[in-house]
Amino acid sequence: MNNPKRAFITGISGQDGSYLAELLLDKGYEVHGLVRRSSLVPRERLEYLYPRYKDSKLFLHYGDMADGSSLTRLLDEIQPDELYNLAAQSHVKISFEIPEYTFDVVAGGVIRILEWIRSRKPDTRYYQASSSEMFGLVRETPQRETTPFYPRSPYAVAKAAAHYATVNYRESYGLFTCGGILFNHESPRRGENFVTRKITRGIAAIMAKKSDHIFLGNLHARRDWGYAKEYVEAMWLMLQQNEPDDFVIATGETHSVQDFVVEAFSLAGLDWQQHIKIDERYLRPAEVDVLIGDATKAREKLGWQPKTTFKELVRLMLEADCVGL
């Protein structure tokens, strides 16, 4: 019997990491994940996996993307066949407040990992979680793999640096490194400080008579929103190809924050205008007005395409937050 493939996931306790861990365990992988010691709920999104996989090959390790020695030690021990880098300080607004830390984790952490692969195990296949935020003040619509970047936040600047490092190590050293330029993807596991989850949790609180209002920033920002559970499959598919490459992963549709609000409140049978208030503290110093991706390359080369519609995504998030009401 062949030994299972061994995968290492940074950011495993996040939305994408938990869905990816589930996918890989279903495929028979031995899965190792990096968890920050300071994480408040490092296992919350993963606990359900243990009873589901009785002979679980899921292992969590404490470490930090900003600590090169801990990363090197873990990677030397695990020797992964596939490495998925999903770790980040991923909140755009917060990145304006802690830019140095954001850059160290998002960009510096990638260099630390790529250097380990280059020097220790060059046959490791590497996935870099790039972001549509790199397009920022967009140069063309829709955005595709060849669209120039114009980042508009410390987070986006760091992601662009990490993406270019991924490309550079591929071209300079012949490593199997892929960049997945994922547009916004949501789910019931989305962090509570992200706008979509803030809306659905806020509606649940209003329906439970625990709150009257939800405070938001720019309602007019438009995003290409997909379902995170489907997007992690694209990550895996990239590392199964014969040649490494970069891919945009998106739905090809764009909706405003207000569209999300209207749809969610309509499902709840509430008048959104009575409950939404604008708070300037949530406005970005430099806004990204509209993002919409062209995933033609992923469809043609990976055989991947989104299945969940915008309305279905809003419904499943709202229903998950309203369970028990």
Side-chain angles (χ1 to χ4, degrees), residues 306-321:
K307 303 178 182 67
T308 303
T309 67
F310 174 74
K311 289 180 178 291
E312 290 168 343
L313 177 63
V314 176
R315 178 181 291 278
L316 70 88
M317 291 183 67
L318 183 63
E319 288 179 347
D321 276 327

Side-chain angles (χ1 to χ4, degrees), residues 26-271:
D26 279 339
K27 292 182 179 298
Y29 279 65
E30 177 181 309
V31 177
H32 295 259
L34 182 70
V35 179
R36 281 184 301 117
R37 182 67 182 174
S38 59
S39 182
L40 296 176
V41 283
R43 300 169 188 262
E44 185 179 74
R45 296 184 180 94
L46 302 169
E47 285 179 345
Y48 79 100
L49 291 175
Y50 289 101
R52 178 174 172 180
Y53 300 92
K54 294 181 180 178
D55 299 320
S56 177
K57 293 183 173 63
L58 175 62
F59 306 93
L60 302 183
H61 308 267
Y62 285 113
D64 197 300
M65 293 292 287
D67 181 359
S69 61
S70 71
L71 274 177
T72 297
R73 184 171 60 253
L74 279 174
L75 292 171
D76 281 344
E77 174 189 338
I78 296 165
Q79 295 287 307
D81 300 300
E82 296 176 3
L83 200 160
Y84 298 85
N85 180 38
L86 312 183
Q89 189 302 101
S90 59
H91 197 283
V92 175
K93 178 65 168 65
I94 291 173
S95 77
F96 284 98
E97 300 169 14
I98 50 171
E100 185 176 347
Y101 174 77
T102 298
F103 201 88
D104 191 24
V105 170
V106 174
V110 169
I111 295 296
R112 294 176 186 111
I113 289 174
L114 290 172
E115 271 297 291
W116 180 87
I117 295 174
R118 181 192 65 80
S119 62
R120 306 291 183 94
K121 196 174 183 293
D123 64 339
T124 295
R125 296 192 169 203
Y126 175 77
Y127 171 82
Q128 168 60 22
S130 294
S131 169
S132 60
E133 286 286 334
M134 301 186 303
F135 295 120
L137 189 62
V138 298
R139 303 291 86 185
E140 66 176 348
T141 299
Q143 295 86 55
R144 50 184 63 87
E145 293 80 6
T146 55
T147 302
F149 299 147
Y150 197 136
R152 299 267 282 171
S153 67
Y155 168 75
V157 170
K159 277 292 187 183
H163 180 83
Y164 280 130
T166 301
V167 174
N168 181 255
Y169 274 69
R170 180 171 71 224
E171 295 179 349
S172 299
Y173 305 113
L175 302 181
F176 197 107
T177 61
C178 298
I181 308 174
L182 272 59
F183 281 64
N184 291 65
H185 46 290
E186 318 296 315
S187 77
R189 300 182 195 176
R190 187 58 145 153
E192 296 173 1
N193 58 345
F194 289 86
V195 66
T196 52
R197 188 78 195 290
K198 188 175 181 181
I199 293 165
T200 57
R201 287 187 76 248
I203 290 174
I206 291 168
M207 294 177 71
K209 309 298 184 185
K210 296 179 180 179
S211 176
D212 291 322
H213 298 100
I214 304 172
F215 294 89
L216 301 175
N218 181 11
L219 295 184
H220 304 295
R222 301 184 68 84
R223 294 293 184 268
D224 184 326
W225 274 305
Y227 184 25
K229 188 173 184 179
E230 296 169 359
Y231 281 40
V232 300
E233 183 181 9
M235 301 176 186
W236 176 77
L237 285 169
M238 289 180 209
L239 297 196
Q240 312 315 308
Q241 303 305 301
N242 292 327
E243 299 292 335
D245 207 344
D246 305 319
F247 294 89
V248 161
I249 304 299
T251 69
E253 296 182 8
T254 187
H255 299 272
S256 68
V257 174
Q258 184 167 311
D259 290 339
F260 196 104
V261 166
V262 170
E263 180 65 23
F265 272 87
S266 175
L267 288 170
L270 298 171
D271 180 356

